[in-house]
Amino acid sequence: MNSPTHGKTISAPEVTNISSHGIWLLTNEQEYFLSYKDFPWFIEASVGKILHVEESSPDHYYWPDLDIDLGIETIKHPERFPLKAKPTR
């Protein structure tokens, strides 16, 4: 006997790839590309820090080791949210 599944399937967000051009974030069965051009804070970050991502609230992602906080609309449409701060080196 199988019990029916209730509610929405939820899995933790996951960085699935890191390249010389950016990172890929998988969340809610969708994959998003975050280019270093649009999200420069990731370019010099260590792999471990990039991989440590949490969904702090629905459609809101936080990289605690980097203190980066991004909503899904910013990820989908970075052109609507121009950078206000420069990355530190």
Side-chain angles (χ1 to χ4, degrees):
M1 181 169 147
N2 291 334
S3 298
T5 304
H6 296 283
K8 183 178 175 182
T9 302
I10 299 174
S11 59
E14 177 184 0
V15 173
T16 58
N17 193 7
I18 301 171
S19 78
S20 59
H21 303 286
I23 68 173
W24 282 261
L25 176 68
L26 177 66
T27 181
N28 299 321
E29 299 181 17
Q30 293 285 335
E31 194 167 42
Y32 302 97
F33 177 68
L34 289 74
S35 73
Y36 296 137
K37 177 182 168 276
D38 294 322
F39 303 97
W41 313 285
F42 294 105
I43 196 165
E44 291 188 20
S46 70
V47 170
K49 290 180 179 182
I50 293 172
L51 293 176
H52 184 194
V53 59
E54 303 168 352
E55 189 170 12
S56 56
S57 62
D59 292 332
H60 202 90
Y61 305 94
Y62 182 57
W63 284 261
D65 299 331
L66 300 169
D67 196 27
I68 296 172
D69 203 352
L70 297 172
I72 196 67
E73 287 302 309
T74 304
I75 293 169
K76 287 180 177 180
H77 305 286
E79 71 281 357
R80 296 182 188 167
F81 304 91
L83 297 175
K84 300 291 185 206
K86 302 285 183 199
T88 58
R89 299 216 178 237

